Amino acid sequence: MNRTLPVTKNDYIDVVFEDLTHDGAGVAKIDGYPLFIPNGLPGEKAKVKVIKVNKSYGIGKLIELYEKSPYRVEIAKSDAHKYGGCQLEHISYEGQLKYKENQVRQVLTRIGKLEDVKIHPILGMDNPWHYRNKAQVPVGEKDGKLVAGFFKPRSHEIVDTNESLIQLPEVNEAVQMVKDICSELGISAYHEESHKGVIRHIMARYGKQTGELMVVLITRTTDISHKNKLVEEIVARLPKVKSIVHNVNSKRTNVILGEKTNLLWGNEVIYDYIGNVKFAISALSFYQVNPVQTKVLYDKALEYANLSGEETVIDAYCGIGTISLFLAQKARKVFGVEVVPEAIEDAKRNAALNGMTNADFAVGEAEVVIPKWYKEGNAADVLVVDPPRKGCDEALLQTIIEMKPKKVVYVSCNPATLARDLRILEDGGYKTLEVQPVDMFPQTTHVECCALLKKI
Ligand code: SAH
């Protein structure tokens, strides 16, 4: 045991929580040594038990709360609540928004060293429940019946539930219905250890504006017994279904989707609208999960781009062209880049669907395609990026710095990588003018931001 640490395993100590971790645990500091304690909230005083001691941090368990945070709310103690992916459910929505906004401010100052940037109050939802338009739910077996729900933390046990508090009711209903039908038809669940059994995941996606539902069955085997009956029952019991897709994942892996996808019934895509723009969404494409807040976020991106109709815009990490087509309404020309070929097919189809002829799309890595365009003499007046959590590739940031678009609009799902990248762009001649946090994922620790940078 390292004697220099201020706590020892099995100690009972009194603490005051100062902060929250990225997965929503309370942080208390003992002589500077951080202890992470699930369910503790900033400002609360509590007795905790130290259950694990590492070199740089420890883990504790909440034993008794002496003083409660005004933001603490009581939650039902059901499994759905505990395992439903809602890390911040024990905090009132007002408290969640405050925490997220603070997090953005702290990270931009600490990592980004951005001192005088205007960070706006976070834009939250009027109703922060049942907002997700998509679920991917693992399927298992218990007592001879299929179960579908959430993995218990750090385990492979699936808790059966249809109570997700953040998914749209149509999505919850679809997952449960498909599970019941599979159960009735005797279709077996995939078993990880033996790598036997058939159904691995049920995915459902719902177009909130159109009322169209897609069901994706993800199986280990190419064949599903009673396939016709299965399709027939899904169609009969879920009247909103417009597309039933089969994805085969025969590997031993935690990755959900496999490589082979085929249509079992209906259309290959479902449709949805964001604002006035119509989108076709196929089974494998990324599509934002919170349709209400997506509109808020894209409106902000459009406002920051402040287009006059003369500009050439590049939309890096464009997915199925959602932001690109939003911008194309106001730009002379938009070029979208995205690494998933199916998403680019969707993007092209979406441009045609909306009669937009001023948007072009290319498959490839943004950090490869955009430098190539630049070398060929193609530059943008406005550049939009919306990268995954790891942020932009350094090569892309360097190209932006050389290309010198007048404005960069950075849409980010991870404040830490946003801050890192803003610092690089600032050092390369850009100034971050404004950052707008948007709550796309209520009840979870995730926070989205839209930032506006100007060439100085
Ligand atoms: N702007 C879109 C998608 C954002 S998600 C929307 O709002 O819907 C990020 C997207 O980046 C995903 O579609 C992912 O497939 C894509 N992506 C990941 N790495 C990439 C890379 N290196 N180059 C281009 N696209 C990438």
Side-chain angles (χ1 to χ4, degrees):
M1 180 67 58
N2 187 335
R3 288 181 194 288
T4 60
L5 294 179
V7 294
T8 309
K9 190 174 166 179
N10 295 329
D11 279 354
Y12 284 83
I13 43 175
D14 288 348
V15 299
V16 180
F17 295 110
E18 295 174 20
D19 202 355
L20 285 174
T21 62
H22 289 293
D23 42 16
V27 183
K29 292 211 174 125
I30 320 295
D31 297 337
Y33 176 83
L35 266 186
F36 302 143
I37 297 124
N39 200 16
L41 296 185
E44 291 187 333
K45 288 188 181 146
K47 182 202 284 281
V48 302
K49 181 181 179 185
V50 179
I51 55 174
K52 199 168 175 188
V53 183
N54 295 323
K55 234 190 195 160
S56 53
Y57 69 93
I59 310 270
K61 189 177 167 201
L62 190 66
I63 302 295
E64 190 187 343
L65 259 185
Y66 299 131
E67 252 175 57
K68 276 189 191 175
S69 159
Y71 296 119
R72 179 176 286 280
V73 288
E74 292 307 320
I75 55 167
K77 295 212 167 20
S78 72
D79 282 346
H81 279 266
K82 267 191 289 179
Y83 309 124
C86 303
Q87 309 98 329
L88 302 185
E89 221 191 330
H90 55 305
I91 310 179
S92 67
Y93 193 50
E94 186 194 349
Q96 292 180 22
L97 292 177
K98 191 171 157 218
Y99 156 68
K100 292 186 188 190
E101 194 181 308
N102 269 342
Q103 194 201 342
V104 172
R105 286 182 197 283
Q106 275 179 24
V107 165
L108 289 183
T109 318
R110 187 166 46 84
I111 304 178
K113 311 258 181 302
L114 302 171
E115 299 297 342
D116 53 350
V117 46
K118 191 164 175 192
I119 301 170
H120 296 283
I122 187 166
L123 298 171
M125 294 186 82
D126 292 339
N127 174 10
W129 302 101
H130 296 292
Y131 58 83
R132 277 186 67 102
N133 58 12
K134 176 184 160 182
Q136 290 184 134
V137 179
V139 180
E141 250 168 55
K142 202 172 183 185
D143 307 328
K145 281 183 79 180
L146 294 190
V147 291
F150 307 102
F151 283 114
K152 271 191 178 180
R154 288 173 293 282
S155 104
H156 287 251
E157 187 185 330
I158 293 166
V159 183
D160 197 31
T161 174
N162 57 1
E163 293 175 63
S164 164
L165 298 166
I166 53 176
Q167 282 156 19
L168 287 168
E170 290 83 357
V171 170
N172 277 337
E173 187 202 359
V175 170
Q176 293 312 309
M177 195 64 90
V178 173
K179 178 197 76 175
D180 289 348
I181 297 168
C182 290
S183 229
E184 287 166 28
L185 294 174
I187 298 170
S188 61
Y190 174 65
H191 187 257
E192 264 181 331
E193 270 153 41
S194 63
H195 195 55
K196 293 216 166 78
V198 177
I199 188 147
R200 298 175 74 129
H201 280 82
I202 298 167
M203 176 173 144
R205 209 176 224 176
Y206 183 64
K208 197 162 185 261
Q209 298 303 320
T210 55
E212 297 190 356
L213 178 70
M214 174 184 273
V215 168
V216 185
L217 303 159
I218 300 134
T219 65
R220 178 187 64 87
T221 50
T222 315
D223 291 325
I224 314 178
S225 56
H226 311 293
K227 189 151 76 184
N228 293 343
K229 185 74 182 155
L230 174 63
V231 168
E232 205 178 286
E233 288 299 320
I234 294 175
V235 174
R237 292 195 221 175
L238 292 168
K240 291 182 171 167
V241 78
K242 288 284 179 293
S243 167
I244 307 177
V245 173
H246 180 199
N247 175 272
V248 182
N249 185 354
S250 51
K251 294 195 180 138
R252 277 184 186 267
T253 169
N254 284 336
V255 175
I256 296 178
L257 291 164
E259 276 161 19
K260 237 171 66 191
T261 305
N262 60 293
L263 184 66
L264 292 182
W265 182 88
N267 296 333
E268 267 178 32
V269 296
I270 55 165
Y271 295 97
D272 198 22
Y273 284 90
I274 303 172
N276 294 324
V277 188
K278 188 175 185 181
F279 293 101
I281 308 146
S282 61
L284 302 190
S285 294
F286 175 90
Y287 183 64
Q288 296 281 359
V289 295
N290 184 336
V292 174
Q293 292 299 84
T294 297
K295 167 88 169 51
V296 173
L297 181 72
Y298 291 179
D299 278 340
K300 190 49 76 177
L302 194 58
E303 179 196 318
Y304 281 174
N306 191 19
L307 301 170
S308 68
E310 295 302 314
E311 297 85 353
T312 301
V313 182
I314 292 178
D315 179 20
Y317 311 91
C318 72
I320 61 169
T322 32
I323 297 180
S324 321
L325 296 185
F326 234 65
L327 297 165
Q329 300 177 99
K330 300 273 167 71
R332 186 183 69 78
K333 182 88 196 176
V334 178
F335 295 94
V337 187
E338 156 68 44
V339 78
V340 175
E342 289 84 358
I344 288 294
E345 274 170 38
D346 284 357
K348 287 181 178 162
R349 179 169 16 198
N350 287 331
L353 193 63
N354 291 282
M356 291 184 183
T357 51
N358 62 338
D360 272 353
F361 296 95
V363 181
E365 290 174 310
E367 60 272 23
V368 175
V369 174
I370 296 171
K372 187 171 133 270
W373 283 347
Y374 180 57
K375 278 204 196 90
E376 291 164 0
N378 298 314
D381 303 303
V382 177
L383 202 140
V384 179
V385 295
D386 182 10
R389 288 187 62 74
K390 68 175 188 213
C392 291
D393 192 278
E394 177 95 39
L396 175 62
L397 295 172
Q398 286 313 324
T399 301
I400 296 175
I401 289 167
E402 285 165 36
M403 185 191 281
K404 303 187 181 59
K406 288 189 211 80
K407 269 179 219 146
V408 176
V409 178
Y410 195 134
V411 179
S412 157
C413 57
N414 181 352
T417 53
L418 171 68
R420 180 200 66 198
D421 293 351
L422 291 182
R423 171 64 11 229
I424 295 173
L425 290 170
E426 292 243 340
D427 292 343
Y430 280 86
K431 170 93 191 84
T432 309
L433 300 181
E434 304 177 51
V435 177
Q436 175 63 65
V438 178
D439 191 22
M440 299 280 276
F441 311 102
Q443 318 305 330
T444 81
T445 51
H446 296 286
V447 54
E448 195 93 6
C449 289
C450 185
L452 169 62
L453 295 96
K454 211 176 142 192
K455 178 79 190 115
I456 45 169

